[in-house]
């Protein structure tokens, strides 16, 4: 929240172009305000040391520790054949553990003079393993002498702030830059209404900024954090409350199903009974549809909990009431899959206007970007005349050419794939705003739902329909135990021998051209040590067909195949004409092949927790138990491996989404990490700050109800404009 013109001074004017360039490129900081809102991740106390025992592998860390021992070794190498090569090994300790630092070549001279036993310093570098010991190679360091003008001025108080940093810019350099801009904090305009701030006992904003960067006591840090969390949560919730308020003013056509119409006929032909959860959620949706303001509801449910059934019943209720319903899916594979399953579930009820169609029947139309011209023309005509009551499609539905006769309901599947602009473009196609149902199979903890989807009412489906089978999940450590991987392929063969099918998922397609940007760069020592590229579908499929799965029918599916080919592969797999489908994450959502019982996910550490949970949900959809094998080469101690163990240990998506959020940095929740721009959550940890978010939400609703345009709160308006600037316009929808 880069608040006001006074703080919009570009950093290059204040800090010089070189530092400003690194801050912009690596930390996304451009102005004085940005830097003031770059808060310390934690604080070190002068008298205490960090826990070296808990350092994460492969991460850039800053530690404060004491030199225990320093030894200079000479060795022979290709560059120094006469034994003139030099290596300095420094052991540092913090009382809990020891860590080795290594310096080579000309880089040994300065640390050899400065890092004497007993010296205390801050060290920053990337944690790696050498000879089974943790080490930092060529770390940057800053001595903590504890006296002298500069040290006292830079590290005021006994708490040393440790900032989120990069290899190019260490924490202490960021600390020095902040020293330069800190006086500007006095100019920060406070977005919180004064009565609210005083009523809650919160610090004024300038004081909070001062205390977060230069605390004298732990109490200073707590007070500053409490205030800055309120800021973030409040401005965000006001934005959402204004959106809710504006939506509530819109008119909509109430849609009530006929007692003996299409919905009733559909329910009569269902071969199973709805779960209690499905009935409850349907009732909530029907109540909303019957009102004269647009419904805005988020339907979240476990993988396979029957969300599509609930959405379809809502769509049929709207068709019953004379309107049309559109379902927006993120990929062509998923749109085709939905279209297939909806027409199958509806039978003759989907054959409106056709011979053999039931009397209440409607037409169900598919619309995607790659359809042939004639089929597309036909579909567009059916929509414009109202002949088609239900349309299922991709982004193609949003195009200007698409006209509806009377759009009454929009269902958005997998909300996290769509921005608000797309959602609104489709809503704009109704004569009056249509009702809106947003679905996600990525379970979202309540706090995140309040933060990201704060303008939507929430319904949760957490029961699985009867007949679903449990899924056993195991981590396969391919590097430590190669025979486990051999066994994994044997398990796939066993499933196929029983008449079942299997998926093998890879992170990459494999026909990408080498990225010129990457290949042209000179590689640093760190890059050299980087992992190999992720495994690719085309390579793995070939290796499996020639090796461990020889003789099985192996097919390939990925996003760059022509749509007809994708659909043909999916149909063959669904019909049991292929044994193993080697695919990218195009199968992540909605793909339903009950006979597929096994899934092997290669390089599973390259996927997020929620994504793994989604993928796993593709097996165990029939009566036979499912098996999911997570293959990884990551060492046991790594964070990535722990993440996989968590996924293997529970099938509860809500539990996994909490784990996922706790492991990610604050703010990734809002989708900003994925889009490459900075997150607007710097202080608020969505999972931990449930109480703050709930309180803030109430206050925000009160403020907006009293003054929807915020005319009496100009500072809050300024903060809102900064939050919703063009770069991040309504990022709050992209959770």
């Amino acid at each position: 929240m880069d608040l006001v013109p006074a703080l919009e001074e570009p950093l290059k004017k204040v800090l010089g172009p070189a530092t400003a360039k690194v801050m912009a490129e690596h930390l996304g900081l451009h102005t004085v305000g940005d830097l003031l809102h770059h808060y310390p991740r934690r604080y070190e106390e002068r008298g205490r040391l960090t826990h070296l025992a808990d350092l994460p592998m492969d991460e850039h860390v800053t530690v404060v520790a004491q030199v225990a021992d320093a030894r200079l070794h000479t060795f022979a190498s290709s560059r120094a054949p006469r034994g003139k090569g030099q290596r300095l090994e420094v052991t540092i300790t913090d009382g809990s553990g020891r860590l080795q630092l290594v310096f080579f070549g000309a880089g040994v001279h300065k640390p050899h003079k400065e890092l004497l036993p007993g010296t205390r310093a801050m060290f920053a570098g990337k944690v790696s393993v050498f000879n089974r010991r943790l080490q930092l190679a060529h770390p940057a360091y800053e001595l903590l002498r504890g006296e002298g003008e500069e040290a006292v001025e830079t590290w005021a108080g006994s708490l040393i702030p440790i900032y989120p940093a990069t290899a190019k810019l260490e924490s202490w350099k960021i600390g020095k830059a902040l020293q330069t801009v800190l006086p500007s904090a006095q100019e920060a305009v406070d977005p919180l209404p004064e009565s609210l701030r005083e009523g809650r006992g919160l610090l004024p904003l300038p004081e909070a900024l001062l205390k977060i960067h230069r605390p004298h006591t732990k109490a200073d840090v707590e007070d500053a954090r409490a205030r800055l969390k309120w800021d973030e949560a409040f401005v965000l919730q006001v934005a959402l409350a204004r959106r809710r308020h504006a939506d509530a003013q819109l008119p909509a056509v109430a849609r009530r199903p006929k007692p003996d119409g299409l919905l009733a006929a559909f329910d009569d032909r269902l071969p199973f009974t709805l779960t209690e959860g499905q009935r409850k959620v349907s009732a909530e949706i029907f109540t909303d549809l019957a009102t004269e303001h647009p419904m805005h509801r988020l339907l979240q449910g476990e993988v396979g909990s029957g969300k599509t059934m609930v959405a379809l019943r809502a769509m049929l209720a709207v068709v019953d009431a004379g309107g049309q319903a559109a379902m927006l899916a993120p990929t062509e594979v998923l749109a085709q899959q939905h279209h297939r399953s909806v027409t199958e579930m509806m039978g003759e009820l989907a054959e409106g206007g056709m011979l053999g169609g039931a009397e209440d029947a409607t037409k169900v139309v598919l619309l995607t970007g790659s359809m042939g011209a004639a089929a597309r023309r036909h579909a567009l005509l059916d929509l414009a005349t109202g002949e088609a009551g239900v349309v299922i499609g991709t982004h193609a539905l949003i195009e200007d050419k698409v006209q509806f006769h009377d759009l009454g309901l929009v269902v958005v599947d997998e909300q996290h794939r769509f921005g608000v602009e797309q959602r609104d473009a489709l809503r704009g196609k109704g004569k009056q705003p249509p009702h809106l149902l947003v679905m996600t199979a990525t379970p979202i903890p309540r706090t995140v739902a309040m933060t990201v989807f704060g303008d939507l009412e929430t319904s949760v489906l957490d029961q699985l329909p009867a007949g679903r089978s449990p899924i056993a999940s195991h981590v396969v450590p391919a590097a430590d135990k190669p025979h486990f991987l051999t066994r994994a392929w044997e398990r796939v063969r066993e499933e196929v021998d029983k008449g079942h099918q299997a998926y093998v998922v890879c992170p990459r397609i494999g026909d990408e051209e080498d990225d010129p940007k990457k290949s042209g760069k000179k590689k640093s020592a760190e890059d050299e040590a980087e992992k190999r590229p992720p495994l690719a579908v085309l390579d793995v499929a070939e290796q499996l067909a020639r090796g461990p799965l020889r003789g099985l029918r192996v097919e390939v599916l990925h996003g760059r195949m022509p749509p007809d080919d994708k659909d043909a592969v999916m149909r063959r797999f669904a019909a049991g004409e292929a044994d193993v489908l080697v695919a990218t994450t195009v199968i992540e959502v909605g793909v339903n092949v009950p006979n597929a019982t096994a899934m092997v996910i290669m390089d599973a550490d390259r996927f997020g927790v929620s994504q793994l949970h989604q993928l796993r949900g593709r097996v165990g959809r029939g009566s036979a138990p499912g098996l999911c094998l997570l293959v990884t080469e990551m060492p046991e101690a790594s964070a990535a491996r722990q993440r996989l163990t968590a996924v293997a240990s529970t099938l509860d998506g809500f539990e996994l989404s909490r784990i996922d959020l706790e492991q990610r940095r604050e703010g990734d929740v809002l989708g900003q990490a994925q889009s490459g721009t900075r997150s607007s959550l710097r202080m608020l940890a969505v999972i931990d700050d449930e109480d703050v978010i709930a309180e803030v939400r109430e206050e925000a609703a009160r403020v907006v109800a009293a003054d929807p345009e915020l005319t009496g709160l100009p500072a809050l308006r300024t903060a809102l404009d900064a939050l919703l600037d063009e770069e991040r316009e309504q990022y709050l929808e992209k959770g």
Side-chain angles (χ1 to χ4, degrees), residues 422-435:
Q422 294 155 316
R423 202 169 96 173
D424 283 350
L426 190 49
R427 281 168 59 190
K429 292 190 176 292
K431 295 190 175 67
Q432 281 195 322
H435 299 281

Side-chain angles (χ1 to χ4, degrees), residues 2 28 236 416 419 421 452 661 664-682 722-735:
D2 324 325
L236 182 59
H416 62 281
E421 303 83 3
V452 184
L661 290 173
R664 297 204 237 168
R665 300 250 166 86
E666 297 81 271
D668 288 5
V669 174
L670 300 185
Q672 282 308 98
Q674 289 84 322
S675 65
T677 50
R678 284 172 305 118
S679 158
S680 289
L681 286 195
R682 296 190 182 71
L723 178 75
L724 301 178
D725 63 14
E726 244 169 274
E727 175 197 352
R728 274 172 271 172
E729 188 182 5
Q730 299 184 327
Y731 73 90
L732 37 141
E733 297 300 338
K734 297 193 174 77

Side-chain angles (χ1 to χ4, degrees), residues 245-268:
H245 184 271
D247 285 340
Q249 311 308 308
L250 297 172
V253 178
R255 311 277 179 177
R256 296 182 185 85
K258 292 190 293 227
D260 54 354
L262 181 58
L263 178 62
F266 175 74
D267 284 350
D268 286 346

Side-chain angles (χ1 to χ4, degrees), residues 71-101:
R71 291 164 192 231
L72 191 62
H73 302 272
T74 54
F75 60 92
S77 72
S78 56
R79 289 190 181 171
R82 294 206 190 90
K84 294 280 178 63
Q86 290 192 309
R87 180 174 79 247
L88 176 66
E89 291 180 2
V90 178
T91 305
I92 58 173
T93 178
D94 65 349
S96 78
R98 295 166 88 81
L99 180 66
Q100 188 158 36
L101 317 177

Side-chain angles (χ1 to χ4, degrees), residues 569-590:
V569 169
M570 223 36 246
R571 278 178 192 276
R572 281 200 296 277
F573 190 66
E577 293 162 21
D579 301 317
V580 178
L581 187 61
V582 183
T584 56
T585 53
V586 291
I587 62 155
E588 181 187 344
V589 283

Side-chain angles (χ1 to χ4, degrees), residues 27 64 86 89 111 171 227 272 278 291 395 439 453 653 709:
L27 295 169
V64 175
Q86 290 192 309
E89 291 180 2
S171 170
R227 164 61 217 248
F272 51 82
Q278 285 174 318
T291 61
H395 297 71
M439 299 200 295
F453 298 109
E709 292 306 308

